[in-house]
Structures are given as structure tokens and as C-alpha cells.
Amino acid sequence: MKINKTIADAAQKIYGEVMQIIDTHVIHENPATDPRIDPSCLEALCCELDTHFADKYGVDTQCKPLNAYTWDEIKTIADAGKAADFFKVGDEKAIKLYTGETVVLVILGFNHDNKAGGGKAAITFGVKDIIDGWYEFNAPVNGNSSNVGGWDKSKMRGVYMRRLFRLLPTDLQAVITPVEKMTSAGVGSPELYKSIDDLFLLSLAEIYSHDAIATSAWGVIKDNATVYNAEGEQYEYWQKAIGDLDPDNSSDELIKTRGGGADYWWLRSPRVDDDSYAWCVDSDGYAGGDRVGGGFGVSFGFCV
């Protein structure tokens, strides 16, 4: 009985606080009409309630979607270690590139990637679909295209990622945190390169689980599972989307579009069994290898 009274007293107190805040936004036009709230004041009212509960009770009411936060606000939340309290995997935020193209970003995971300066990056974002343009993984050298040097030495990383970074809004550029990425050196080598990246393509192991890679019906994946699995861990976003789906099976969740149509998009994993190929995901949602000089889509990630 005492516990129930305590709960009732607390509820009554909170109710009173809420009504007091609401009352400051209520318009009393005249005694003959009901009090009302100007719709233009609703956002301010919600923000005031959010602030009250956060400051007094340490509770986030989460009335504000990710898309409504500025990048400075997201960075402040991330640095405070509270990203997962405010946001969830799969939340989306739209940005406009310097070219005028609107791109939708999605949260792939929290505390997943290693920051270049030590510790974990709070949030990893990815482009939900494919950005405009065609991009080759690597440029032909002396008439031949090769995956020599893997992602670390590729034209995709050295040229295209730098260009794409400059197309991002400046407020986003300012909060991106460089992270470490491990990737095969390519050309049949078991060697791994560590790169420090602002923007990066995803690896096989960041989309597919280690078990799925190790048991894949693709002999070229399964036989080199140790190397591919050293390129990262599956993001929570893909854990929820495809689970332990084998790379040799298609998935609608892996289909990305550009201009309304499905298309291929590059991964950063080079084929370790063939020096002319790197991995990508095709328009039907299958993992596949293609020549590094071919022009395909890009769907990059980054961390805050």
C-alpha cells in the first residue's frame, strides 16, 4: 500500500510539472472558448519537455528524430557516450551533397569501429542506397587492372573517397572521426593492410557474419575465410537485416538503388584468389566479384 502511494505521489508530481510547462504555451483567447496551443509552438513545447525530463530525471523522451538533430548535436551526444540512448540502429538522416543530390544516411552500429587515436567511434553511419556516378575500384596500370595493394592502394580510396568527402556538408565533414580499417592486400596474399579512413567502403565481413563466410558455398570465399573475416565484424544493422545469410544467397535487404533502379555497389574486399577482381553486391542482392576496372556504384560509411 505504501509503495502504491509513493508511485501515485510521484505520478501526481510529474503530472503537475508537465501541466505547468504546457500552461506556459496555452492561449486563453476569451472565457467563451476553450484554451488552445498554437501549432507553431508545438516544437518549442516538446523541446522544453525534453529538456525538463533530461535535466531533472535523466530521462530522454526521444520526441526528436535523428533527422532533426544537427551534426554538432549528434557529435556532442556521441562524445558523451549516450548515442545509443538517443538513437537506434536503422535511424535515418538526410543530407544534401554539394552537387545538390540528397542522400539518406542510416545508423549501422554503435561503438563498433576503432578510432585512429584509440577507443571506439560512437556511431557508424552508412549511405542507405547508392550515390550518383560510376566508380572503378582501381584504375588500369599499363593497360591492366589489378587489385595489387587492395583497398589501401586503390583509386577508390585514394581518389574517389577524397572527392566524395569534399561533397559532404561542411558541418558533417567537421565531425567525422577517422577510423582504422583492416583489408586484404589482394593478389592472393594473406597479408592485411591497416588504413586510416574518413570514408570507407564496407568489407565482406562487415555485411556477412563470420560463420556465414566460413560456411559459404562459394569456394573462393570459404577457402579464404580467415583473410576475409580479418577485415572486420558484421555491423548490427546487417545482423538484423540478413543475420547469418550466406554470401552465395540473394537478399532484398542487400539491394541498393540509384535513380529508382537497382544496381551493383562495390565492397572494399579484394578477391584474394584473383588479382583482377574485387567483391561487390549485384542488383539482385548477391555477393559477387568483378573486375576492378569496372564502373559500379558506391555506398560508403563513416564514423562520428
Side-chain angles (χ1 to χ4, degrees), residues 67-212:
N67 204 45
Y69 284 85
T70 68
W71 286 108
D72 280 343
E73 289 172 332
I74 293 171
K75 177 65 171 174
T76 298
I77 292 167
D79 288 346
K82 295 185 177 181
D85 296 330
F86 280 75
F87 315 121
K88 65 182 183 299
V89 170
D91 279 355
E92 297 179 0
K93 183 172 176 62
I95 61 170
K96 183 171 284 190
L97 302 182
Y98 180 74
T99 56
E101 178 186 1
T102 296
V103 172
V104 176
L105 306 173
V106 61
I107 292 181
L108 300 180
F110 300 108
N111 301 310
H112 186 103
D113 287 294
N114 294 320
K115 294 193 291 187
K120 292 289 186 179
I123 313 173
T124 303
F125 288 89
V127 174
K128 186 175 182 180
D129 282 300
I130 305 171
I131 64 171
D132 285 343
W134 295 94
Y135 305 85
E136 66 270 19
F137 187 90
N138 215 4
V141 178
N142 296 325
N144 297 312
S145 296
S146 169
N147 66 23
V148 174
W151 160 256
D152 187 62
K153 308 300 181 185
S154 69
K155 181 178 181 179
M156 180 69 73
R157 177 175 180 266
V159 177
Y160 293 135
M161 290 297 111
R162 293 179 183 178
R163 290 180 184 174
L164 291 170
F165 184 86
R166 291 194 291 270
L167 294 182
L168 298 175
T170 54
D171 56 343
L172 172 54
Q173 292 182 31
V175 301
I176 289 178
T177 299
V179 292
E180 299 176 350
K181 287 295 173 182
M182 302 299 295
T183 317
S184 160
V187 289
S189 170
E191 185 181 2
L192 293 165
Y193 287 163
K194 179 194 290 185
S195 58
I196 305 299
D197 295 302
D198 294 317
L199 306 184
F200 51 84
L201 300 186
L202 302 185
S203 68
L204 276 171
E206 289 171 339
I207 294 175
Y208 299 99
S209 72
H210 284 191
D211 285 345

Side-chain angles (χ1 to χ4, degrees), residues 223-237:
D223 294 346
N224 297 286
T226 300
V227 177
Y228 291 134
N229 281 339
E231 294 181 337
E233 301 283 341
Q234 188 181 32
Y235 283 106
E236 187 178 347
Y237 179 82

Side-chain angles (χ1 to χ4, degrees), residues 262-284:
D263 215 326
Y264 286 58
W265 49 287
W266 283 115
L267 303 180
R268 75 169 188 275
S269 302
R271 283 270 295 262
V272 298
D273 64 307
D274 191 313
D275 65 4
S276 298
Y277 285 73
W279 290 99
C280 58
V281 177
D282 70 18
S283 55
D284 293 318

Side-chain angles (χ1 to χ4, degrees), residues 18-28:
V18 170
M19 292 307 297
Q20 187 175 1
I21 293 171
I22 290 176
D23 192 56
T24 63
H25 295 271
V26 170
I27 299 172
H28 299 272

